[in-house]
């Protein structure tokens, strides 16, 4: 055993004995935390998840005793490499995530370091307050991470950076000293120095540092709103109140660990209006910033036509061009006031301003339009990464800042510099603060490309400094910009930064190699000249990426999948708060698997298997991830290789082969139900199949839909033929739904047909990686339906997961098969088909609670369903509940039952329990209906049944007219 490994084992053992939290030094955990959202990768010594502040203190104490470096980390979304290091990484986001107190009187909040910003905002909102800095990662970034990075965001325009909103910090140094840091008012500094203890010594040394470098700080620190580079030594100046808490803010974990923070809140005006101004180009848009700032907006963002082109190429926000005013550069100007009249008035004055005559303007008051516009702006990173037909883009000059009054000229010169280097990148960002975001197509895998990038950085830094700007205007220096700091501050102030760190961390154990004495910019690259992933043979063809290794590289680490609530992605993370159960964590494991140095066993690696095992294959990441990571597909691919030549777990055969079992049971449904429903017998069946004893097995229908349809049904219709897909679940378990779909379509005049023999899309097979069998199933579908497919006949599916197979997996497995492409284009959900045909729908006029199937929301979208429900007269409350938790076989499996139920309890079960008895509960997915019934006792119905009820209602009305 190597000496380093021996030390790590001893450290791990000491930590496990000392703390109640989780200590993880295994290769899988180390791989999970090896990178952030930057270009860098460094494998940590181990990871600690403290349960409370005592754990946090004990961890630091033991690391000091073992002389181990420490890295306190927030949400891991940093773009400059400061969140990866060869250190003991401390992740507070799982347990230390409480808002401890909101004090409306002082407009402050007291928080633990792992609290998510949106959770703080939700706690502050009832008091009419908000936390001003709100970066685009607000749904998952932590306050500790924001304090480390000195984060900003759209509304830092009115509230300032995080450093401007820190009141007090409770911090711990690597040497074990604890300090409650804040401003020193009046004679307080002198009194503290005179104490003569460690606290006094620290304040004395900070005062001496301030006195020696004070004038240089005043001369060299650019007086701009987004100076985030360097340490906040200006906060030690007398005119700033010698504020130690604010000086520590933005030190990126290099000086101390935050145990608790008190932060300032500001009033949140109740009404907002958004103005978008379109200019001939982004440079003229930036030129107009000073004049618009005079109108005192609440937010002022900018973006260029390159961003819009990237959005268009990726098929994001298809209405973007339609809703924006004419132009090739846009400013988004937000006004927030206490009354809607004042907000509207200020917006109208701006649009009418004669000095802005070259701009076209539009005012947005509707909530959905404002959400769309902000969505366009916030999609910047996702829209500009991995654009089809374009080179890959990376951070590396991501967030420079200039004085707002000089932003236009800075952008012109920066664009010229990019063109000289033959680089491409969109311009967008916080223009009101002079902060620019851009991802650039650097070549980071060849020596020549890395050298060219490094040369560009020197020129870009000099350009930024020449404008009085900051190398970083939001994301910090880390490793990405720290080596350039002498160009901005000069050698003397960089030495002052070194002295400041030494006061707090004399042993250099806090995040070493970042900001102060940094590792070279071109070292520790996640790619670099040594990047050579294995290229395995795969079942899926990954047409959007070209290979599995490219697919594994797609995640850029922004961490949108780490949202604790909202949307579909990522249900297991929402329950466990585990990095390995996020899309990002799983993508990292696959990336590391292909590198082979930490995760070493390829397709058979247990660390990867463990990370993927709790993926519900909801497909939420396919749509909601900013770069469209498709983890459900990656999981299916991995599992197919992991189990190749091996026996799979029992549920794979019980649930994965359900099409065969169901077909067999349909011949003797009474006998099958006796086995699965009789107490005692059913428990034996569940135990033999590896199923959860608490989960009821669905009852087989006495007569399948296909048998009912063929036995006495005579297809009629005058509108044309449509194939109704008899999926396994509605055919054998819920035939009344399939019958309602058939009768409803016939009621609209269609000739409904079904396939002449049993077919299956293979949906249950993907979760267990049974891809060869799934491909056999799909080949049979294509062969059987070739005639109607080529004739252009539409296929309507009632089970969303089956339609998703035809729209997604089918073309990924058979990208060159023209019939597969045709079937994908001709397959529709029930609502999509009704919308496409533009039918005159009957009305029912009922309230309803609606649970979206996750594949429905993620692959097909839910707009058609909303429209159909509205036309039918359903007053629908569509839940933002994400995946129901059952997810096909997932919630049936013994070891996953608790996770499944916890997922349901987040939003879905409480909402259904509280719904009035007269309200309909709608769920198109079989899993959703089963989960709702099991978790609440309520029975959910399908949209086809609602439409059929409406048809019957119309017929009754006609009868009495």
């Amino acid at each position: 055993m190597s000496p380093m490994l021996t030390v790590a084992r001893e450290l791990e053992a000491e930590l496990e004995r000392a703390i109640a939290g989780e200590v993880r030094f295994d290769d899988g955990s180390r791989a999970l935390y090896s990178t952030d959202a930057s270009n860098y990768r460094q494998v940590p010594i181990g990871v600690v998840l403290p349960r409370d502040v005592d754990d946090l203190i004990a961890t630091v104490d033991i690391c000091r005793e073992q002389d181990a470096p420490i890295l306190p980390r927030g949400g891991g979304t940093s773009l400059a490499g400061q969140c990866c290091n060869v250190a003991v990484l401390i992740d507070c986001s799982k347990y230390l995530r409480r808002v401890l107190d909101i004090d409306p009187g002082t407009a402050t909040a007291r928080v633990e370091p792992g609290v998510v910003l949106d959770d703080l905002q939700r706690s502050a909102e009832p008091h009419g307050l908000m936390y001003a800095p709100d970066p685009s990662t607000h749904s998952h970034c932590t306050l500790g991470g924001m304090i480390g990075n000195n984060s900003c965001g759209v509304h830092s325009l009115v509230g300032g950076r995080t450093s401007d909103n820190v009141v007090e910090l409770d911090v711990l140094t690597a040497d074990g000293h604890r300090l409650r840091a804040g401003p020193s008012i009046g004679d307080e500094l002198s009194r503290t120095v005179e104490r003569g203890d460690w606290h006094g010594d620290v304040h004395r040394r900070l005062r001496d540092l301030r006195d020696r470098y004070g004038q240089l700080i005043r001369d060299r620190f650019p007086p701009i709103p987004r100076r985030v580079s360097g340490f906040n030594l200006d906060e030690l100046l007398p005119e700033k109140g010698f504020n130690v808490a604010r000086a520590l803010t933005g030190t990126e974990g290099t000086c101390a660990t935050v145990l608790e923070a008190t932060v300032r809140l500001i009033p949140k005006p109740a009404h907002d209006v958004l103005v978008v101004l379109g200019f001939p180009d982004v440079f003229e848009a930036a030129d107009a910033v000073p004049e618009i700032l005079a109108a005192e907006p609440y937010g002022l963002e900018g973006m260029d036509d390159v961003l819009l082109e990237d959005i268009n190429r990726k098929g994001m926000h298809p209405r973007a061009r339609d809703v924006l005013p004419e132009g090739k550069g846009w400013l988004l100007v937000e006004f927030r006031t206490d009354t809607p009249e004042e907000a509207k008035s200020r917006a109208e004055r701006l649009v009418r301003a004669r000095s802005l005559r070259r701009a076209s303007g539009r005012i947005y008051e509707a909530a959905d339009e404002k959400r769309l516009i902000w969505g366009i702006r916030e999609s910047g990173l996702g829209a500009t990464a991995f654009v089809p037909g374009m080179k890959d883009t990376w951070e590396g000059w991501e967030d420079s800042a200039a004085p707002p009054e000089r932003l236009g000229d800075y952008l012109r010169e920066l664009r010229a510099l990019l063109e000289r280097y033959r680089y491409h990148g969109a311009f967008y960002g916080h223009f009101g603060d002079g902060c620019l975001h851009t991802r650039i197509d650097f070549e980071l895998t060849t020596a020549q490309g890395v050298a060219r990038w490094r040369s560009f950085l020197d020129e870009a830094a000099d350009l930024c400094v020449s404008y009085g700007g900051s190398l970083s205007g939001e994301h910090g220096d880390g490793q990405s910009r720290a080596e350039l700091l002498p160009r901005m501050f000069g050698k003397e102030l960089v030495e002052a930064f070194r002295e400041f760190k030494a006061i707090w961390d004399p042993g250099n154990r806090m995040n070493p190699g970042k900001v102060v004495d940094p590792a070279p910019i071109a070292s520790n690259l996640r790619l670099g000249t040594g990047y050579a992933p294995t290229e395995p043979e795969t079942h899926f063809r990954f047409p959007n990426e070209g290979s599995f290794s490219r697919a594994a590289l797609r995640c850029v680490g922004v961490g949108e999948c780490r949202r604790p609530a909202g949307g579909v992605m990522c249900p297991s993370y929402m329950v466990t708060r585990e990095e390995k159960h996020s899309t990002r964590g799983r993508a990292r494991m696959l990336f590391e698997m292909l590198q082979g140095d930490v995760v070493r066993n390829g397709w058979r690696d247990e660390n990867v298997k463990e990370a993927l095992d709790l993926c519900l294959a909801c497909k939420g990441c396919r749509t909601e991830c900013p770069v469209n990571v498709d983890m459900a597909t990656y999981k299916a691919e991995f599992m197919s290789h992991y189990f190749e030549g091996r026996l799979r777990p029992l549920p794979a055969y019980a649930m994965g082969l359900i099409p065969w079992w169901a077909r067999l049971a349909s011949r003797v449904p009474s006998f099958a139900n006796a086995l699965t429903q009789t107490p005692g017998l059913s428990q034996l069946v569940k135990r033999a199949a590896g199923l959860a004893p608490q989960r009821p097995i669905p009852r087989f229908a006495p007569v399948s839909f296909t048998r009912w349809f063929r036995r006495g049904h005579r297809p009629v219709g005058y509108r044309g033929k449509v194939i109704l897909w008899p999926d396994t679940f509605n055919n054998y378990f819920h035939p009344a739904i399939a019958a309602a779909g058939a009768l409803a379509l016939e009621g609209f005049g269609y000739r409904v047909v079904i396939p002449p023999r049993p077919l299956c899309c293979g949906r249950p097979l993907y979760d267990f990686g049974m891809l060869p069998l799934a491909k056999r199933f799909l080949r049979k579908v294509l062969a059987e339906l070739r005639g109607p497919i080529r004739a252009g006949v539409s296929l309507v599916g009632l089970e969303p997961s089956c339609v998703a197979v035809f729209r997604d997996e089918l073309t990924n497995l058979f990208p060159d098969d023209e019939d597969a492409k045709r079937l994908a284009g001709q397959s529709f959900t029930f609502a999509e088909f009704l919308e496409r045909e533009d039918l005159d729908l009957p009305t029912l006029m009922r309230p309803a609670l609606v649970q979206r199937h996750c594949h429905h929301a993620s692959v097909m979208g839910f707009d058609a369903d909303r429209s159909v429900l509205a036309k039918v007269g359903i007053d629908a409350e569509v839940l933002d509940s994400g995946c129901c938790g059952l997810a096909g076989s997932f919630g049936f499996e013994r070891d996953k039952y608790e996770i499944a139920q916890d997922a349901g309890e987040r939003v879905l079960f409480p909402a259904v329990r509280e719904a009035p008895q007269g309200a309909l509960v709608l769920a198109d997915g079989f899993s959703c209906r089963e989960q709702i019934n099991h978790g609440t006792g309520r029975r959910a119905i399908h949209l086809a049944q609602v439409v059929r009820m409406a048809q019957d209602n119309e017929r009754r009305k006609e009868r009495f007219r």
Side-chain angles (χ1 to χ4, degrees), residues 29-43:
S29 297
R30 294 168 63 232
L32 279 173
Y33 289 87
S34 63
T35 188
D36 47 18
S38 72
N39 296 327
Y40 299 97
R41 173 181 177 264
Q42 291 176 277
V43 181

Side-chain angles (χ1 to χ4, degrees), residues 352-575:
R352 290 196 303 264
R354 291 177 58 84
S355 55
L356 297 174
R357 61 186 179 278
R358 282 176 59 80
S360 55
R362 183 173 171 185
I363 297 173
Y364 304 84
E365 296 179 82
D368 59 339
E369 287 194 325
K370 288 185 291 187
R371 275 195 301 270
L372 174 59
I373 298 294
W374 285 119
I376 293 168
R377 162 61 189 89
E378 290 185 354
S379 67
L381 188 152
T384 57
F386 301 101
V387 180
M390 306 293 288
K391 295 179 182 178
D392 295 341
T393 59
W394 309 98
E395 71 90 1
W397 189 250
E398 210 283 334
D399 64 320
S400 57
E405 65 273 13
R406 304 188 69 190
L407 181 61
D409 288 337
Y410 171 63
L411 296 187
R412 289 180 178 92
E413 289 204 51
L414 181 60
R415 179 63 73 192
L417 180 62
L418 287 169
E419 290 173 353
R420 182 153 57 80
Y421 273 85
R422 299 188 302 282
Y423 285 148
H424 172 92
F427 284 177
Y428 57 96
H430 311 293
F431 281 21
D433 280 331
C435 182
L436 171 71
H437 292 313
T438 180
R439 291 179 66 87
I440 301 170
D441 55 353
F442 303 121
E443 168 52 65
L444 299 179
T445 60
T446 66
Q448 297 88 342
V450 171
R452 188 157 149 260
W453 168 54
R454 187 63 188 79
S455 173
F456 166 82
L457 290 180
D458 285 339
E459 291 198 50
D462 288 343
L463 172 64
C464 181
V465 171
S466 74
Y467 275 88
S470 176
L471 306 181
S472 172
E474 186 151 34
H475 295 300
D477 299 313
Q479 185 178 340
S480 189
R481 282 173 285 272
E483 195 180 3
L484 302 171
L485 289 178
R487 294 175 180 268
M488 177 178 170
F489 292 103
K491 292 183 178 179
E492 286 184 83
L493 276 181
V494 169
E495 177 59 32
F497 297 155
R498 185 178 291 111
E499 291 183 33
F500 182 83
K501 174 177 168 61
I503 291 171
W504 297 101
D505 180 32
N508 193 28
R509 285 193 295 269
M510 297 296 301
N511 206 9
K514 311 296 179 181
V515 188
V516 170
D517 298 319
I521 289 173
S523 64
N524 301 323
L525 291 177
R526 187 155 56 106
L527 298 182
T529 57
Y531 176 67
T534 56
E535 291 288 359
E537 289 288 325
T538 58
H539 297 284
F540 286 107
R541 298 283 291 278
F542 303 101
N544 293 330
E545 292 93 353
S547 69
F548 187 71
S549 67
R550 287 272 300 151
L553 184 64
R554 178 174 282 275
C555 175
V556 295
V558 72
E560 193 73 18
C561 48
R562 284 173 51 94
R563 293 176 308 204
V568 177
M569 168 186 76
C570 184
S572 51
Y573 176 80
M574 292 180 190
V575 170

Side-chain angles (χ1 to χ4, degrees), residues 130-144:
M130 62 178 280
Y131 186 67
D134 54 350
S136 60
T137 54
H138 53 82
S139 66
H140 52 286
C141 66
T142 68
L143 265 292

Side-chain angles (χ1 to χ4, degrees), residues 725-747:
W725 181 254
D727 63 89
T728 296
F729 310 106
N730 286 315
N731 187 22
Y732 298 115
F733 296 101
H734 294 170
I737 288 174
L743 294 172
L745 290 170
E746 288 178 352

Side-chain angles (χ1 to χ4, degrees), residues 690-750:
L691 306 182
Q694 309 94 316
R695 178 76 64 184
I697 297 175
R699 181 181 293 274
F700 293 96
V703 178
S704 70
F705 164 71
T706 53
R707 185 174 299 176
W708 169 82
F709 189 88
R710 293 190 180 107
R711 182 183 292 168
H713 206 71
R714 294 293 178 268
V716 295
Y718 56 86
R719 286 185 186 271
K721 185 162 63 174
V722 60
I723 302 168
L724 183 64
W725 181 254
D727 63 89
T728 296
F729 310 106
N730 286 315
N731 187 22
Y732 298 115
F733 296 101
H734 294 170
I737 288 174
L743 294 172
L745 290 170
E746 288 178 352
F748 290 120
Y750 293 96

Side-chain angles (χ1 to χ4, degrees), residues 800-882:
S801 60
C802 296
V803 179
V805 168
F806 295 143
R807 298 267 279 270
D808 186 7
E809 282 92 350
L810 177 64
T811 53
N812 200 334
L813 290 167
F814 305 104
D816 302 321
D817 189 307
E818 294 302 320
D819 285 331
K821 295 175 186 175
R822 293 185 185 103
L823 180 54
Q826 293 164 214
S827 298
F828 304 98
T829 66
F830 187 75
E832 284 180 325
F833 183 77
L834 298 186
E835 276 291 280
R836 177 175 175 268
E837 298 294 292
D838 195 22
L839 301 169
D840 185 16
L841 301 181
T843 57
L844 188 61
M845 309 306 291
R846 292 278 296 276
L849 198 69
V850 182
Q851 165 66 10
R852 300 178 300 168
H853 187 284
C854 47
H855 291 179
H856 197 155
S858 302
V859 178
M860 288 80 72
F862 209 70
D863 288 347
D865 293 75
R866 293 180 190 273
S867 178
V868 168
L869 288 167
K871 291 175 182 177
V872 175
I874 298 295
D875 179 14
E877 179 187 350
V878 181
L879 296 174
D880 185 14
S881 52

Side-chain angles (χ1 to χ4, degrees), residues 294-307:
E296 299 182 343
Y298 213 78
L300 176 51
E301 302 288 290
M303 56 190 185
D304 69 0
D305 58 324
V306 180
L307 174 61

